[in-house]
Amino acid sequence: MPLELPDDIRRSINRATALTAPGVTAFLHHLGGLAAEHAGAEPDVSRSAALEAASAVYARAAEVTRSEADRPGTREVVGILALVREADRLVRSGMRDYDAHTVLSRLAPGSGDVRPSAPERLLRQPAARQVTGAWRRITTWLEANAPASHGALLPGAAKGDVDALERELWVPVPVELRALWALCAGARDVQGAGLVPDHGWALMPLDSVHGVYLRQSQWQREHVGEGWLWKPSWIPFASWSVTDVSAGLFVDAETGEIGQWDDTAVRTVSDKSLTELLEEIADTLEHPQLAVGHRPGLIGERLVWGPPLAAEEAELWRPFPG
């Protein structure tokens, strides 16, 4: 049976056809995130359940768009908008002043409004608070024990800078990563920048994040059909060093899981989140006797995860006693 849509919704479909699939996907994820956020803050059980259901429907709509590499055709767009229409019905039953189609009607080619931007209130979510707590523990340890590594860290990014990056990538930056970048937007190219075990990955400045994402996405387009070399939802955040970005770590914006890439086609994804990673680093620095695998140590005033493989570093390295 053909889908019957009101004229205003049909106009929204026509305007949405100019969006690329990654853009539609990012937008739907953004709507789903807002619905989920409101659900968590809604005391009324029935309204909260409606919002949670809407969030799930938005996620399903985003999943549909992932099958389209370039631009969704008419049939795909109608299917996506049918799902959005259902989500909108659920949202209306849960919160009157939130209308997905009103937002959707603003989707016009070239508009600065079409790309998602996480509101400031996201940084007050529990996950953001956990990141902030773990990061403060890490920097407190660095300041006291490895001042050279502490000095390598860049200050936090302004919200507008992260918003701009988000618009360039067409991928909503997860709350955890946005919280980290608000505290520290990468590292300087100096000895001691390697912060994240096991190798000692360095946090990437935002311009490097953008450059790596574009290169990896181009590689994906050139190797269509060879499996996932780079998913649109993968956002890099750490690399082999500040200047060597041939390998590194990324956060999957869809799942929150951390993964690793290298200069071959090897890609691995763990079930660990960025929050868990930062908390593990903080725990290991504060209680090195509990370390599994690489241990925190010092060479002079810089943190080095070890024991190092290079002979000259291994000779200078001392494990941190705790």
Side-chain angles (χ1 to χ4, degrees):
M1 187 173 179
L3 179 67
E4 293 295 332
L5 295 174
D7 289 342
D8 61 333
I9 304 306
R10 193 175 299 281
R11 285 195 296 271
S12 294
I13 292 175
N14 293 335
R15 300 180 76 179
T17 54
L19 280 178
T20 61
V24 175
T25 304
F27 179 72
L28 293 170
H29 275 303
H30 181 56
L31 292 179
L34 287 175
E37 180 187 353
H38 288 306
E42 176 55 62
D44 183 89
V45 174
S46 61
R47 285 160 58 93
S48 177
L51 291 165
E52 287 180 2
S55 180
V57 174
Y58 284 127
R60 172 59 184 151
E63 184 180 331
V64 171
T65 68
R66 240 173 273 134
S67 63
E68 292 297 302
D70 297 315
R71 187 174 73 85
T74 303
R75 178 167 41 172
E76 287 79 9
V77 171
V78 170
I80 293 163
L81 267 295
L83 286 168
V84 173
R85 186 170 184 249
E86 172 63 13
D88 185 56
R89 183 188 66 76
L90 292 165
V91 170
R92 284 175 182 274
S93 72
M95 190 169 60
R96 292 287 180 187
D97 61 351
Y98 186 80
D99 180 355
H101 290 132
T102 298
V103 181
L104 188 63
S105 67
R106 297 163 58 192
L107 291 180
S111 168
D113 295 326
V114 300
R115 295 164 179 170
S117 176
E120 199 69 52
R121 63 179 176 274
L122 290 182
L123 294 181
R124 297 197 293 270
Q125 288 190 3
R129 293 198 296 269
Q130 287 178 287
V131 167
T132 300
W135 184 251
R136 285 175 177 165
R137 291 167 59 200
I138 291 169
T139 53
T140 297
W141 187 96
L142 291 174
E143 190 172 20
N145 301 288
S149 295
H150 184 269
L153 299 174
L154 292 172
K159 177 182 179 295
D161 292 337
V162 180
D163 289 345
L165 175 65
E166 192 174 58
R167 290 193 295 271
E168 290 295 328
L169 303 185
W170 278 91
V171 180
V173 176
V175 173
E176 295 90 337
L177 188 52
R178 182 174 278 267
L180 175 60
W181 282 343
L183 297 163
C184 175
R188 299 178 178 85
D189 183 24
V190 296
Q191 276 198 329
L195 174 66
V196 183
D198 49 13
H199 156 73
W201 309 99
L203 295 178
M204 299 169 66
L206 298 192
D207 56 349
S208 293
V209 171
H210 183 235
V212 167
Y213 186 90
L214 293 183
R215 286 195 295 275
Q216 294 290 350
S217 297
Q218 178 64 30
W219 191 7
Q220 174 66 41
R221 288 191 292 271
E222 293 171 353
H223 296 79
V224 173
E226 299 180 22
W228 281 115
L229 300 177
W230 192 266
K231 287 189 177 183
S233 58
W234 290 353
I235 303 178
F237 71 93
S239 54
W240 188 257
S241 72
V242 174
T243 54
D244 185 348
V245 294
S246 60
L249 306 176
F250 61 79
V251 175
D252 190 328
E254 294 177 354
T255 66
E257 296 170 335
I258 288 176
Q260 182 175 331
W261 87 89
D262 64 21
D263 55 0
T264 69
V266 174
R267 308 288 185 263
T268 58
V269 181
S270 71
D271 59 358
K272 184 183 298 183
S273 70
L274 179 61
T275 301
E276 291 170 327
L277 174 64
L278 294 174
E279 288 180 338
E280 284 183 10
I281 293 173
D283 290 342
T284 304
L285 292 176
E286 293 172 347
H287 307 285
Q289 66 275 16
L290 302 178
V292 177
H294 285 70
R295 292 176 289 157
L298 299 171
I299 295 181
E301 294 187 334
R302 58 189 174 98
L303 168 66
V304 177
W305 296 92
L309 295 177
E312 60 274 17
E313 284 203 332
E315 187 174 341
L316 299 172
W317 184 77
R318 297 292 181 271
F320 184 71

